[in-house]
Amino acid sequence: MTREVSDLPDLHPGVSRDAATPRDSLIVSLLPVLVFAAILGGWEAWVRLAQVKRYLLPPPSAVVIALVEEPMRYIDAAVTSLSAAIGGLLFATVGAFALGVVMAHSRALERALYPPALLLKVMPIVAVYPLFLIWFGFGIWPRVLIAALITFFPVLVNTVIGLRSIDPAAHDFLRALHASRSQIFWRLRLPSSLPYLFAALRICVPLSLVGAVVAEFLSGASGMGQLILVANGDFDTPALFGAVIVLAGLGVSLTVGVSYVERRVLDWHDSYRGT
Amino acid sequence: MALTDTSPLIAPDADAGEAAVPAIDVRALSHRYASTAGEVVALEGADLRVEAGEFVSIVGPSGCGKTTLLRAVAGLLAATGGEVRVLGGAPEQAQREHAIGLVTQDPGLLPWRSVEANVRLPLEVTGATADVPALLERVGIARFARYRPGQLSGGMRQRVALARALAHRPRLLLMDEPFGALDELSREDLRLELLALWERERIAVLFVTHAIHEAVLLSDRVVVMSGSPGRIVADIAIDLPRPRTDALTSTPRFVALAAEVRGALRSGAGSAGARS
Ligand SMILES: Nc1ncnc2c1ncn2[C@@H]1O[C@H](COP(=O)(O)OP(=O)(O)O)[C@@H](O)[C@H]1O
Ligand SMILES: [Mg+2]
């Protein structure tokens, strides 16, 4: 079962990708790299020739130099932000999934629990973060909570939908056998919900990073947020670009990680079945 | 395929004292669905009796209440009027005794499980035991034991659904247009395999189909329904000898019976003003 790793939408739905010869497909896969190189080259040339001020727009080479000159500055910050983001995502996933199981259990419970859950979603994190700082101090916990808060709702909604999206024919078969609620839960509902859970996780990975970085930004706590804050104060634009690149890299690697687990767990699912 | 193996797969426990208890006894069954567009009378005053070990088909146009009737028998739907008895008790009692096997047009297999694990599902739920490899062999899917349902053709999936419905040794098999979504060749194969399987097991079967030919070939009795409101308009005994084979379909008696079923369908449809 070979398949494309790309999550990009197919821009040419009428054109079969399978029809391409190996040489064509090599060119096709090299094309984005070439385009990227052309953009960077053009950027570098323009900044140098037009003598654009470095604090306005540094050349790509300056960004690379900033990154390799002080690698630990970026790595430390990235590890801190990543810990808060992943920690928040884990807490949110466990908590939201548990609450989703309760809410999927009955419509009455769903109606009772939905308003407070919605409140969590609409709560502006910028406003509640100072409270978290007062309650939990300046350690990593307030940041973990912000990342959890921002990712809780998408996981909850998808869990409830997923647990309800069972195949009615399979449900009928189990009911005709007098299967218990827990048998139906473990054998049918839980596996049926996993594609929805992973869809939520893919949405939540970038959200959790944004949550962590915004929290660091607000409190000046260590991490990518603080790095950006300091670089901004120094008009150190190459470092700002470096931070953007590092954050993008974190987002991409987390997404790839989730996709990897998803492909292993959901190898039975329509969207992953080999053709 | 191991159709030559004659040992019954299902324990013949439906003997002696139980012989008198009908597998299905439906009296004056009515059902109304309340929908946003108003009430739909899906069934009105249906009487149906299926003896232990009897194969009964229901034919009728789309929307005449066949699925509603079958679901009421399976205990999946509480009908709004009338009485349903399954194996002498309420449908829920039959469920509790794990006496029902269900096959529907959409097989409802679990896509994350292999064929074999799908067939084991009723064993996990009921605690029953079965020789699963032999069962897979019997319905012609032993080769595909490790495949996932998504890797199989529609015909193979229905074989899996059939094996799954038989695994826990039900005494009543309910089939709702099980071959409805298949191409004609797979349909023919499955029909003959079901025939061979049933002639060995002899459990009670209620079989819903659109195909007159199929109903006559398989059944001891064909019940004809008509729609709006859904009711039973004819009950035709199929006195063809068993074991039956496809060759039977060209005999005058078969042709006459098929014509009789078709006639009942048409007159029922004529009075109701609806046909599929
Ligand atoms: N859940 C439902 N809600 C409302 N009406 C329904 C529902 N299920 C079936 N019906 C209606 O009841 C009638 C009988 O349906 P059904 O038993 O599925 O017929 P059949 O299986 O013979 O095609 C149809 O008119 C159908 O539209
Ligand atoms: Mg139907």
Side-chain angles (χ1 to χ4, degrees), chain B residues 33-35 40-43 60-69 176-177 208 210 225:
Chain B
Y33 289 104
S35 72
V40 180
V41 183
L43 264 184
S62 288
C64 72
K66 306 181 295 293
T67 296
T68 304
L69 175 58
D176 191 358
E177 301 192 38
V208 170
H210 275 301
M225 288 182 68

Side-chain angles (χ1 to χ4, degrees), chain A residues 56-92:
Chain A
L56 283 178
L57 185 66
S61 57
V63 176
V64 172
I65 289 166
L67 281 172
V68 293
E69 264 183 351
E70 296 178 280
M72 287 324 285
R73 180 183 174 198
Y74 295 90
I75 291 174
D76 283 346
V79 167
T80 307
S81 297
L82 199 59
S83 312
I86 292 180
L89 194 57
L90 281 179
F91 276 108

Side-chain angles (χ1 to χ4, degrees), chain B residues 20-197:
Chain B
V21 178
I24 299 174
D25 192 0
V26 167
R27 292 196 189 163
L29 192 69
S30 301
H31 189 70
R32 288 154 197 272
Y33 289 104
S35 72
T36 45
E39 265 196 352
V40 180
V41 183
L43 264 184
E44 193 153 88
D47 292 298
L48 176 68
R49 207 178 140 103
V50 176
E51 303 301 337
E54 195 180 22
F55 195 121
V56 174
S57 289
I58 299 180
V59 295
S62 288
C64 72
K66 306 181 295 293
T67 296
T68 304
L69 175 58
L70 187 126
R71 288 175 63 82
V73 170
L76 298 172
L77 171 140
T80 49
E83 197 192 1
V84 181
R85 309 214 30 101
V86 177
L87 300 161
E92 291 70 33
Q93 181 60 29
Q95 287 184 352
R96 226 170 279 128
E97 291 168 4
H98 309 134
I100 296 173
L102 184 66
V103 183
T104 45
Q105 178 169 346
D106 169 10
L109 302 172
L110 304 185
W112 51 87
R113 286 185 174 224
S114 68
V115 163
E116 187 180 354
N118 264 287
V119 174
R120 285 193 191 283
L121 177 68
L123 305 178
E124 293 167 15
V125 170
T126 64
T129 54
D131 186 351
V132 172
L135 185 55
L136 296 182
E137 188 70 45
R138 186 76 50 99
V139 296
I141 49 174
R143 275 182 302 146
F144 302 110
R146 307 180 81 94
Y147 283 53
R148 296 263 175 82
Q151 299 169 300
L152 301 180
S153 68
M156 287 300 155
R157 273 183 231 174
Q158 283 302 357
R159 287 168 197 261
V160 180
L162 182 60
R164 183 183 66 169
L166 292 173
H168 56 289
R169 296 158 197 257
R171 285 183 284 157
L172 172 62
L173 184 59
L174 300 173
M175 306 181 84
D176 191 358
E177 301 192 38
F179 311 146
L182 304 184
D183 61 276
E184 189 50 36
L185 277 180
S186 317
R187 200 177 170 123
E188 213 162 89
D189 285 348
L190 267 158
R191 185 183 293 160
L192 294 174
E193 294 218 18
L194 176 64
L195 186 61
L197 199 72

Side-chain angles (χ1 to χ4, degrees), chain A:
Chain A
M1 294 211 289
T2 56
R3 54 177 31 267
E4 277 177 279
V5 181
S6 167
D7 278 334
L8 296 173
D10 191 350
L11 297 177
H12 307 284
V15 182
S16 165
R17 296 180 171 195
D18 303 330
T21 65
R23 206 172 127 257
D24 285 346
S25 67
L26 186 69
I27 290 171
V28 166
S29 58
L30 275 179
L31 217 52
V33 179
L34 292 176
V35 169
F36 206 61
I39 290 173
L40 288 180
W43 175 358
E44 180 89 32
W46 180 65
V47 167
R48 282 174 186 272
L49 291 175
Q51 297 191 325
V52 178
K53 296 215 162 45
R54 173 172 272 239
Y55 69 86
L56 283 178
L57 185 66
S61 57
V63 176
V64 172
I65 289 166
L67 281 172
V68 293
E69 264 183 351
E70 296 178 280
M72 287 324 285
R73 180 183 174 198
Y74 295 90
I75 291 174
D76 283 346
V79 167
T80 307
S81 297
L82 199 59
S83 312
I86 292 180
L89 194 57
L90 281 179
F91 276 108
T93 303
V94 171
F97 195 83
L99 186 63
V101 169
V102 172
M103 282 170 68
H105 193 74
S106 86
R107 294 272 173 195
L109 281 172
E110 184 183 1
R111 255 196 299 277
L113 294 172
Y114 191 77
L118 194 63
L119 205 65
L120 282 184
K121 177 195 158 60
V122 298
M123 200 152 40
I125 53 168
V126 176
V128 293
Y129 188 58
L131 279 176
F132 287 180
L133 288 180
I134 291 171
W135 291 338
F136 305 106
F138 283 85
I140 198 171
W141 286 107
R143 283 173 272 161
V144 170
L145 272 177
I146 289 293
L149 202 60
I150 211 171
T151 52
F152 187 85
F153 201 74
V155 177
L156 177 70
V157 168
N158 272 34
T159 300
V160 173
I161 294 173
L163 289 171
R164 293 222 168 110
S165 73
I166 51 175
D167 179 349
H171 192 213
D172 280 350
F173 180 82
L174 285 167
R175 279 177 64 209
L177 279 180
H178 210 256
S180 67
R181 274 191 101 127
S182 82
Q183 286 174 326
I184 290 175
F185 177 82
W186 290 109
R187 289 179 173 77
L188 182 60
R189 284 194 195 280
L190 186 66
S192 301
S193 75
L194 291 181
Y196 293 81
L197 178 66
F198 276 104
L201 286 181
R202 266 190 275 141
I203 293 168
C204 285
V205 159
L207 283 182
S208 68
L209 276 171
V210 168
V213 171
V214 166
E216 289 156 2
F217 214 86
L218 289 174
S219 67
S222 58
M224 293 304 294
Q226 186 199 48
L227 192 152
I228 292 168
L229 217 53
V230 170
N232 199 29
D234 296 346
F235 286 93
D236 186 358
T237 317
L240 285 177
F241 272 94
V244 169
I245 290 169
V246 169
L247 279 173
L250 291 184
V252 168
S253 4
L254 268 184
T255 305
V256 167
V258 169
S259 298
Y260 176 79
V261 177
E262 182 178 4
R263 261 196 307 281
R264 305 227 118 192
V265 174
L266 297 184
D267 60 342
W268 51 271
H269 195 246
D270 285 341
S271 60
Y272 291 105
R273 219 145 57 200
T275 43

